[in-house]
Amino acid sequence: MTTTGRLTTHVLDTMHGRPAAGMRIDLFMVHGDHTHHLLSSFTNADGRVDQPLLDGERFHPGAFELNFHVGQYFERMGVESENPFLDIVPVRFIMSEEAHYHVPLLVSPFAYSTYRGAEG
């Protein structure tokens, strides 16, 4: 049986007004009070991961967490701060059906936002 569900993401650097290329992202499955690491990836030049994070037989409903390595990204971009604020931004969410879940992150060194997006 082929599943139609998939998980994608997109990271935009709102400080510089461009996609956040080269940001590390870790995906975890959440089991109650602990997590299980599923994969690590990096965003491409468009701020996206080249392949869906989960799709096909790897996709299944459940609770998940994406960890965006924002601090490393901005440090690599040369953003210096005596008092860094954001380091790893965790986004925990639930996928409850066979569908396309798109989890974008808009981020600066001091703030972020996310939502369930739609990607065509």
Side-chain angles (χ1 to χ4, degrees), residues 5-11 23-28 37-44 47-60 64-68 91 93 95 100-104 119:
R6 64 186 168 135
L7 171 62
T8 58
T9 190
H10 187 198
V11 185
M23 184 181 291
R24 178 179 169 178
I25 300 171
D26 296 316
L27 175 64
F28 297 86
H37 182 262
L38 296 177
L39 62 87
S40 295
S41 192
F42 288 85
T43 56
N44 62 22
R48 302 172 189 274
V49 175
D50 289 330
Q51 301 294 323
L53 296 167
L54 294 175
D55 67 348
E57 296 300 318
R58 297 180 312 145
F59 181 91
H60 53 88
F64 295 87
E65 182 174 294
L66 285 169
N67 283 349
F68 296 89
V91 178
F93 55 97
M95 298 191 301
H100 181 189
Y101 287 83
H102 184 63
V103 183
E119 184 175 274

Side-chain angles (χ1 to χ4, degrees), residues 23-28 37 40 65-75 84-92 105 107-109 111-112:
M23 184 181 291
R24 178 179 169 178
I25 300 171
D26 296 316
L27 175 64
F28 297 86
H37 182 262
S40 295
E65 182 174 294
L66 285 169
N67 283 349
F68 296 89
H69 292 257
V70 171
Q72 286 178 349
Y73 166 80
F74 282 111
E75 183 178 327
F85 183 62
L86 294 177
D87 184 21
I88 296 173
V89 171
V91 178
R92 194 169 281 196
L105 183 73
V107 68
S108 79
Y112 67 92

